[in-house]
């Protein structure tokens, strides 16, 4: 006849429960360690992604500011050129064109001068339709910044899943530990049900975190 405890749990049942509890504890511990490791790794990805996006946005702003400064300077040169042309100061006009204009401004002013014979000529070489364009477009840097920011946000969401998994698995570790201390069957069953729910939730969250 099987040896029983004072509350009616046989020694065989107790050994089986202890083995099952040890198995659940082992699985929960392994998942907890894995989840914590992945949280740390993905957390680095989040930080790197947000840092990279910030740098790219700064680059885009710097390019835009540089383009604005260049455009303002080119507009000032154009106005000075127009003044020299109207004053018939060919020496100054030639100096401005030959020494201070870059290729972009020269091409734009050539276009503008050709358009003066039209019925509605443009007011300046910077009007719509002009070949004048920025040397470096900030759009590419801004788009790269958006991509890096979106990737960081996705990584942050994944990192949250790993953190949540660690929290759920801690429930399993605690409840299994308590279950090994109690002797009443209903209490053990309730605690193990909670532990298994925490284990299943933690495993699901880890999977969601990995799949993104």
């Amino acid at each position: 006849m099987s040896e029983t405890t004072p509350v009616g749990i046989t020694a065989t049942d107790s050994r089986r429960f202890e083995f099952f509890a040890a198995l659940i504890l082992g699985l929960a511990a392994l998942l907890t360690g894995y989840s914590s490791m992945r949280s740390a790794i993905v957390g680095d990805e989040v930080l790197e992604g947000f840092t990279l996006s910030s740098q790219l946005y700064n680059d885009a702003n710097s390019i835009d500011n540089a383009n604005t400064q260049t455009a303002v300077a080119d507009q000032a040169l154009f106005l000075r050129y127009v003044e020299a042309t109207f004053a018939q100061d060919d020496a100054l006009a030639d100096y401005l064109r030959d020494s201070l204009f870059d290729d972009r401004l020269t091409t734009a002013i050539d276009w503008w001068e050709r358009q003066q014979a039209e019925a509605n000529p443009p007011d300046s070489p910077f009007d719509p339709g002009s070949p004048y364009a920025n040397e470096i477009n900030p759009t590419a840097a801004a788009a790269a910044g958006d991509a890096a920011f979106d990737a960081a946000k996705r990584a942050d969401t994944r990192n949250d899943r790993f953190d949540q998994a660690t929290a759920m698995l801690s429930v399993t570790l605690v409840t299994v530990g308590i279950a090994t201390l109690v002797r009443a069957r209903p209490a053990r069953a309730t605690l193990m049900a909670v532990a298994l729910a925490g284990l299943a939730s933690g495993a699901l969250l880890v999977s969601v975190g990995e799949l993104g």
Side-chain angles (χ1 to χ4, degrees), residues 78 81 93 97-98 101-118 122 124-126 129-132:
F78 166 68
Y81 173 77
R97 176 181 284 273
D98 297 338
F101 289 3
D102 59 16
D103 292 339
R104 294 180 307 132
L105 185 56
T106 298
T107 301
I109 289 180
D110 287 343
W111 169 84
W112 174 75
E113 289 177 337
R114 289 193 301 270
Q115 299 299 312
Q116 298 310 298
E118 301 292 332
S124 80
F126 308 101
S130 168
Y132 184 87

Side-chain angles (χ1 to χ4, degrees), residues 32 61-62 67 85 93 118 125 130 148 153 179 212:
T32 300
N61 288 333
S62 296
N67 288 339
T85 301
E118 301 292 332
S130 168
K153 288 287 288 183

Side-chain angles (χ1 to χ4, degrees), residues 7-90:
V7 290
I9 299 176
T10 67
T12 300
D13 289 341
S14 182
R15 285 193 295 270
R16 288 174 179 172
F17 173 77
E18 289 171 358
F19 174 78
F20 182 66
L23 179 63
I24 299 302
L25 280 174
L27 289 174
L30 286 174
L31 280 174
T32 300
Y34 180 81
S35 181
S36 298
M37 177 192 70
R38 292 296 291 148
S39 177
I41 293 173
V42 176
D44 289 340
E45 293 178 9
V46 173
L47 179 60
E48 291 172 1
F50 283 131
T51 300
L52 177 60
S53 68
S54 179
Q55 293 173 345
L56 289 168
Y57 286 141
N58 287 336
D59 290 344
N61 288 333
S62 296
I63 293 170
D64 188 57
N65 290 336
N67 288 339
T68 299
Q69 292 175 1
T70 299
V72 170
D74 285 346
Q75 290 169 8
L77 285 173
F78 166 68
L79 292 175
R80 190 72 186 93
Y81 173 77
V82 170
E83 291 173 356
T85 301
F86 281 130
Q88 297 183 344
D89 189 344
D90 294 337

Side-chain angles (χ1 to χ4, degrees), residues 185-209:
R185 286 180 183 275
R188 277 187 172 181
T190 300
L191 288 168
M192 291 307 294
V194 173
L196 289 173
L199 181 64
S201 299
L204 177 62
L205 287 166
V206 168
S207 299
V208 172

